[in-house]
Amino acid sequence: MADAYLDLVNTPLPGRIAKALGLPRPSVLRRYFPVEVLAPQPVLVTGAGAGADALADALLGWDVEVRRHVLPGEKLSAAVVVLDRAGTPADLAAPMLELGQAVRLLVPGGRVVGFLRSAADTTDPAEAAARQGIDGALRSVAHELRGGATANGIVLRGTTPTTDPTALGALRFFLSGRSAYVDGQFIEVTSAPAEGVADLAAANRSMSEWEGVPDQPLAGRTAVVTGAARGIGAKIAEVLARDGARVVAVDVPAAGEQLARVANDVGGTALQVDITAPDAAARILDHVGRRFGTLDIVVHNAGITRDKLLANMDASLWDSVIAVNIASQLAMNEQLLASPVFSDTGRIISLASTSGIAGNRGQSNYAASKAGVMGMVRAQAVAFDGAGRTINAVAPGFIETEMTAKIPPLTRQVARRLSSLQQGGLPVDVAETIAFLASDAAAGINGQVVRVCGQNLVGA
Ligand code: NAD
């Protein structure tokens, strides 16, 4: 469903009227295309210490023009604020105030990325206050930015350096158009095991090496996407294929025709399976094992809603949502992990939802299933820790799909504007985040829930 208001306010006269009336003025977001230039204007790297210096050097290696201080009047593609050494709240003032100068100079679709350490990794109250303070400050900056700009954070766990391959991978993701609808989010990064990063050189090659070469970080990988016949799942299949993966598109037999079309369009194979069937995992593993040998990426995307106030809920509505959205994933993961077909560096990515974070009226069954996904991901991640495999969740907010097209028009308009980016996301925004999490560049990201919600004001 197109957002006609967004199109309208991005024309001159209606744009001026909206400004005069103080109405929301969502910007057209800067989205990824395969040979995008990461930062056409200079990138500011602010903050003191070896971590900031090393990061500035790494950016130079990507052929990005780097500034260590704001030059008045010069436009910036991004501002990277490195706060990995903050020891007390007083340490935040200088770099944050410099960031304040930098955000004035950001180009439309500009980026703010913070580097910080986890408050959970210190027992010193002042240090924890500083670290948690950065979280609050950056989330506020994200609310303040306009023009389709975003602010996000990379949380270095333990002693992970700023130039860890996954930290750089996360930085590249945040700087790129791939993260267009990811705003006000923090991704935790741990030093990746070497075996999880099969192609480090590719993950960190310089911009001149990228120029004109479509980026295919998933080349040679086999990916299963459930619920791939339409909506977000179809777009995930398309983006994973664009990034080089062989895609097995899975959906219910009733969606067979649409499924075949998607599989055909992405040069993949279609597999008609109801994921709640007891033999679903066995059939998927058999299909992949016989054709490709190894399964590298599993995207648990299939999901349903059966909304009712809890007072009016019956067992069939409750049970069907739990069965599709979470029980099937638990059962499938168990069988994947017991199978030699699932790669030692395999990636599992599950679709959660902001409803599972903040709850939503009429969605107690759905929110239980989606919060369940997050619980499952965090627990499984502990078992995977450091061993090469990863599992993460992506929690979309309001995404323009057939599901959200059914929302009554007025409610839909309000829902769209209730985020810092003042618009709904597109299926491609969810798909780009999943493709990033599936790549080598994300090898040190495990057990995370990444919201793709434009910093939706979900109350959590
Ligand atoms: P959709 O209804 O458009 O597509 C879901 C697909 O899953 C359909 O093709 C359907 O046939 C398939 N499916 C359902 N049950 C299945 C089963 N038992 N076995 C195999 N396939 C099955 O939904 P969507 O909007 O594209 O959402 C995709 C995922 O993203 C879901 O998990 C949803 O909960 C989640 N999500 C969506 C939004 C949004 O705004 N659209 C927001 C948050 C989360």
Side-chain angles (χ1 to χ4, degrees):
M1 163 91 29
D3 184 346
Y5 179 81
L6 182 143
D7 295 338
L8 191 68
V9 292
N10 280 291
T11 55
L13 184 61
R16 281 201 295 276
I17 295 171
K19 186 175 181 185
L21 296 176
L23 294 171
R25 287 186 301 140
S27 297
V28 176
L29 301 184
R30 171 170 71 86
R31 290 192 164 87
Y32 175 76
F33 58 98
V35 290
E36 76 169 354
V37 175
L38 200 59
Q41 305 292 328
V43 172
L44 174 76
V45 178
T46 180
D53 295 345
L55 201 59
D57 284 347
L59 277 166
L60 287 171
W62 293 350
D63 292 348
V64 169
E65 254 191 88
V66 175
R67 300 280 180 267
R68 297 307 306 272
H69 291 287
V70 170
L71 297 181
E74 183 181 63
K75 288 289 175 198
L76 294 169
S77 280
V80 180
V81 55
V82 186
L83 295 155
D84 62 324
R85 296 187 347 159
T88 78
D91 294 341
L92 308 190
M96 286 308 298
L97 294 175
E98 182 154 30
L99 179 63
Q101 298 308 304
V103 295
R104 293 169 177 273
L105 304 170
L106 281 182
V107 296
R111 299 287 193 260
V112 170
V113 184
F115 276 78
L116 59 150
R117 296 207 174 272
S118 172
D121 288 339
T122 178
T123 51
D124 176 341
E127 193 168 53
R131 293 177 178 186
Q132 200 68 47
I134 299 164
D135 182 292
L138 284 176
R139 285 180 202 272
S140 300
V141 172
H143 283 299
E144 291 171 10
L145 293 174
R146 287 292 173 262
T150 62
N152 293 288
I154 295 169
V155 182
L156 305 164
R157 292 304 307 259
T159 56
T160 304
T162 54
T163 50
D164 174 87
T166 303
L168 293 179
L171 176 61
R172 187 186 280 277
F173 170 69
F174 282 138
L175 293 179
S176 145
R178 285 179 184 269
S179 64
Y181 199 60
V182 181
D183 196 11
Q185 301 308 303
F186 291 80
I187 294 183
E188 291 189 3
V189 167
T190 314
S191 284
E195 63 271 27
V197 191
D199 194 357
L200 250 185
N204 292 315
R205 60 191 162 153
S206 78
M207 281 309 295
S208 54
E209 289 171 86
W210 291 75
E211 256 172 48
V213 183
D215 179 15
Q216 292 225 302
L218 305 179
R221 310 293 159 86
T222 301
V224 163
V225 182
T226 68
R230 67 177 206 186
I232 295 172
K235 196 48 99 172
I236 296 168
E238 185 187 316
V239 168
L240 295 185
R242 179 203 68 194
D243 282 358
R246 286 181 294 257
V247 174
V248 177
V250 172
D251 212 300
V252 289
E257 216 171 289
Q258 276 177 294
L259 183 68
R261 205 173 312 129
V262 170
N264 201 34
D265 286 350
V266 306
T269 57
L271 183 63
Q272 295 182 11
V273 171
D274 181 332
I275 53 162
T276 62
D279 64 346
R283 288 189 51 204
I284 290 170
L285 286 163
D286 179 60
H287 177 98
V288 174
R290 278 190 293 112
R291 280 177 173 74
F292 311 113
T294 302
L295 176 53
D296 303 288
I297 300 158
V298 174
V299 184
H300 290 301
N301 163 77
I304 59 170
T305 50
R306 297 287 182 270
D307 296 356
K308 272 273 188 257
L309 296 179
L310 184 61
N312 303 326
M313 185 80 67
D314 65 32
S316 75
L317 296 178
W318 184 276
D319 291 345
S320 56
V321 168
I322 299 295
V324 176
N325 294 5
I326 177 67
S328 70
Q329 296 191 18
L330 286 163
M332 202 178 299
N333 288 353
E334 204 178 306
Q335 293 184 54
L336 284 179
L337 301 182
S339 165
V341 172
F342 189 58
S343 166
D344 289 344
T345 56
R347 301 273 192 271
I348 300 175
I349 300 133
S350 287
L351 267 287
S353 165
T354 48
S355 294
I357 296 170
N360 200 13
R361 187 179 152 82
Q363 290 201 316
S364 55
N365 51 353
Y366 183 74
S369 72
K370 294 299 187 180
V373 163
M374 294 184 246
M376 172 192 77
V377 159
R378 289 183 179 125
Q380 186 60 56
V382 175
F384 280 174
D385 204 21
R389 290 171 170 162
T390 68
I391 181 167
N392 293 286
V394 169
F398 182 98
I399 304 295
E400 304 281 356
T401 61
E402 288 180 40
M403 195 166 107
T404 48
K406 289 185 194 132
I407 299 173
L410 197 62
T411 317
R412 191 166 64 230
Q413 275 305 332
V414 173
R416 278 177 174 145
R417 309 301 155 220
L418 278 181
S419 74
S420 294
L421 295 173
Q422 301 179 320
Q423 59 195 287
L426 300 180
V428 70
D429 299 324
V430 180
E432 295 286 11
T433 303
I434 288 170
F436 163 63
L437 291 170
S439 72
D440 282 346
I445 299 173
N446 186 27
Q448 300 291 293
V449 178
V450 182
R451 279 165 57 176
V452 182
C453 67
Q455 201 179 30
N456 198 327
L457 311 175
V458 292

